[in-house]
Amino acid sequence: MQHFPIFLNLAGQRVVVSGGEEAALAKLRLLMKTEARIEVYASAPAADVLRLEAEGRIVLRLRPLREGDAKGAALVYGANEDDREDARIAAIARAEGALVNIVDNLDDSAFITPAIVDRDPVTIAIGTEGAAPVLARQIKADLEERLPANLGLLARIGIAFRQAADVLPMGRKRRDFWGDYYNGAAARALAESGESGVQTLLGDLLDRHVMASHREGHVDLVGAGPGDPDLLTLKARKLLDAADVVVYDRLVAPQILELARREAIMIDAGKEGFGTSTAQDDINDILVAHARDGHQVVRLKAGDPTVFGRLDEEIDALDAAGVSWAIVPGITAASAAVAQIGQSLTRRGRNSSVRFITGHDTKGFCDHDWQALARPGEVAAIYMGKRSARFIQGRLLMHGADPATPVTVIENASRTDARILSTTLSRLEPTLSEAALTGPALTFLGLAPRAALAASTELELQRALS
Ligand code: SAH
């Protein structure tokens, strides 16, 4: 790097420009953004330069720059568009101890003027060592487009609020506050309700952060239900609305994530089936780290967090780290799925118990008490049962289950794209594979859709109860 970028304080400083035509005007336009005292030396200045003098924005001397004129100047610009005259100016400036820039002459210049993106007080200077002005212009155009025009205003409002924000302890807590302010919230408030909206936002944000700074971190392990946002508990909604951090699973519906506070940090902890334990360790670490930062963390799990949710591993990690936690139940897939087929999970005279079993765990397909499950009248809700369907079917038939036992697979229960496959144990495969389901699906052993629903289509009911 040949040229080192700095921001020079020009307030009240003398800046001298030699020249009165286009090249000089281009520099004047930039210099007039500053609070410098600008002096222009030109024997025959252009009309625009005369106008600037008339407006009192520059001091104009209608003669060439002479020895002594550069004394005490912070910067001198040679903008005469005349090599000999500019060389004379450069010599005077150097002799009198001023930094000099000769327009379009890198070699004779002590400094160069960068391309500037101006969002005062935010200023971005772009330099290419004079090598690629076109590239500098492209970068400038890019940034001009990307940075909101009101960024400067937001920064000015922010600066005025700095003292108030100093009630927050220095360091991370204060940084988080400003992070929240600049991270889209301020721009939105400005767009929605103007400067007063930004002031209100700052007040609210500060209240929240002050409260948070006195608050211990905490993790709520929250059930997100089967997908329909209306099936969230009120408590889950409230917690989502207040969370600083939301760590969510792959199965949590996007419409539910929408309910989180806009400023919340959203962390996708998506795990496919057969997930590795490393991923679980990472999730545990994330929960602990955010709680230790004093954050209110919502750990959002599909359905009910206590059903096949690997909840205990997370609780153990939180306990080990001394982080407080609470469980907020949700509606489990089995409840949503029976609702979808108009059935009860239990029924007098049919089944007095229901089992929730999983098709596989982290080690592979799961073994169960097949003997008991094969008995007539048994009802089991099989979670994560798609890939293990053939295994389960084989085990049950081997243990003497009636091949005609009703089996119902409900995909995307409670969601608008719910699908129902009504079949029997002997036909479970290949029916399931042929249906090529892509969403989460729950398999009921021993339950068929209620007769009235089953009658409406033979094998498949779309959106049965919606
Ligand atoms: N804790 C969750 C279950 C997590 S295991 C709960 O209580 O529901 C993931 C399995 O849940 C999926 O493989 C699928 O079998 C089932 N599941 C989750 N959401 C579902 C939905 N909307 N419809 C059908 N099955 C669902």
Side-chain angles (χ1 to χ4, degrees):
M1 192 191 298
Q2 197 184 341
H3 292 84
F4 181 65
I6 55 167
F7 289 91
L8 200 62
N9 182 356
L10 287 183
Q13 299 285 325
R14 253 181 90 225
V15 172
V16 168
V17 177
S18 169
E21 313 225 1
E22 245 344 284
L25 268 167
K27 295 299 173 210
L28 286 175
R29 279 186 210 107
L30 283 177
L31 289 167
M32 281 183 313
K33 291 171 179 287
T34 73
E35 295 161 33
R37 288 186 291 126
I38 304 168
E39 244 169 59
V40 178
Y41 290 81
S43 308
D48 281 348
V49 176
L50 291 168
R51 190 175 44 76
L52 291 177
E53 189 207 20
E55 290 168 4
R57 305 183 67 182
I58 60 170
V59 174
L60 184 57
R61 311 252 185 254
L62 290 170
R63 61 168 174 81
L65 183 134
R66 292 195 292 253
E67 268 174 38
D69 288 338
K71 267 207 188 103
L75 302 176
V76 172
Y77 279 91
N80 297 284
E81 299 169 68
D82 170 339
D83 290 348
R84 280 187 52 189
E85 179 60 359
D86 279 341
R88 191 180 70 81
I89 304 303
I92 294 176
R94 258 182 239 117
E96 296 180 357
L99 281 175
V100 65
N101 172 272
I102 303 297
V103 173
D104 289 336
N105 182 343
L106 199 59
D107 293 338
D108 289 341
S109 293
F111 71 94
I112 49 179
T113 316
I116 293 172
V117 179
D118 176 13
R119 298 287 189 277
D120 184 47
V122 179
T123 311
I124 299 165
I126 304 155
T128 61
E129 304 277 14
V134 175
L135 177 60
R137 269 199 297 278
Q138 265 175 15
I139 297 171
K140 173 176 154 71
D142 224 42
L143 290 171
E144 291 284 6
E145 211 168 287
R146 193 131 29 111
L147 296 176
N150 53 29
L151 185 71
L153 176 58
L154 294 178
R156 276 197 297 281
I157 298 173
I159 288 166
F161 198 76
R162 207 150 51 182
Q163 221 175 350
D166 284 353
V167 300
L168 286 167
M170 209 157 53
R172 179 172 184 113
K173 306 242 161 95
R174 215 179 279 174
R175 275 202 310 279
D176 283 353
F177 167 79
W178 289 114
D180 264 6
Y181 175 70
Y182 286 114
N183 195 5
R188 271 197 304 276
L190 189 64
E192 279 162 20
S193 32
E195 256 181 77
S196 68
V198 182
Q199 299 291 356
T200 314
L201 168 83
L202 276 167
D204 292 351
L205 214 54
L206 186 60
D207 283 350
R208 196 198 307 261
H209 280 259
V210 167
M211 262 160 55
S213 71
H214 297 313
R215 202 172 51 179
E216 296 276 303
H218 175 82
V219 177
D220 285 298
L221 304 144
V222 180
D228 178 354
D230 283 348
L231 292 179
L232 269 181
T233 63
L234 279 177
K235 192 161 188 173
R237 274 203 84 128
K238 280 188 203 153
L239 288 170
L240 270 177
D241 198 43
D244 302 311
V245 180
V246 178
V247 184
Y248 60 93
D249 275 346
R250 182 178 58 92
L251 277 184
V252 175
Q255 300 91 304
I256 287 172
L257 298 178
E258 287 289 310
L259 299 171
R261 200 160 65 85
R262 285 208 217 166
E263 289 74 36
I265 304 170
M266 305 297 288
I267 300 174
D268 179 355
K271 263 186 311 170
E272 290 286 338
F274 297 99
T276 62
S277 53
T278 341
Q280 184 62 54
D281 284 346
D282 288 346
I283 296 170
N284 297 350
D285 291 348
I286 289 169
L287 296 178
V288 168
H290 281 286
R292 285 205 169 134
D293 280 345
H295 284 140
Q296 301 302 296
V297 182
V298 164
R299 171 70 175 113
L300 202 55
K301 289 172 179 287
D304 182 273
T306 71
V307 179
F308 305 126
R310 302 191 68 181
L311 185 66
D312 300 71
E313 285 149 88
E314 292 175 15
I315 289 176
D316 288 347
L318 295 172
D319 275 341
V323 171
S324 77
W325 53 268
I327 299 174
V328 179
I331 292 180
T332 189
S335 301
V338 265
Q340 199 90 53
I341 59 171
Q343 285 289 13
S344 287
L345 276 174
T346 61
R347 177 176 167 173
R348 225 147 64 117
R350 183 190 64 200
N351 64 310
S352 57
S353 71
V354 59
R355 293 171 201 243
F356 289 2
I357 69 174
T358 172
H360 66 74
D361 59 19
T362 51
K363 295 187 195 73
F365 296 151
C366 273
D367 254 318
H368 295 283
D369 182 353
W370 302 114
Q371 199 99 44
L373 284 164
R375 281 198 296 261
E378 280 296 316
V379 173
I382 307 170
Y383 288 73
M384 295 173 273
K386 272 194 297 190
R387 268 185 278 183
S388 51
R390 196 172 288 283
F391 171 79
I392 292 170
Q393 180 185 36
R395 283 291 188 279
L396 287 169
L397 290 174
M398 207 166 80
H399 286 81
D402 180 352
T405 307
V407 173
T408 310
V409 182
I410 299 104
E411 183 197 29
N412 293 321
S414 89
R415 306 184 186 198
T416 49
D417 51 357
R419 278 175 81 195
I420 297 167
L421 299 179
S422 170
T423 181
T424 60
L425 182 57
S426 63
R427 287 184 304 165
L428 172 58
E429 282 297 6
T431 308
L432 185 58
S433 296
E434 280 164 6
L437 306 183
T438 51
L442 190 114
T443 304
F444 274 117
L445 172 71
L447 277 187
R450 186 170 291 274
L453 293 172
S456 62
T457 59
E458 261 303 318
L459 276 172
E460 187 168 331
L461 294 167
Q462 298 263 359
R463 307 176 53 184
L465 287 180
S466 55

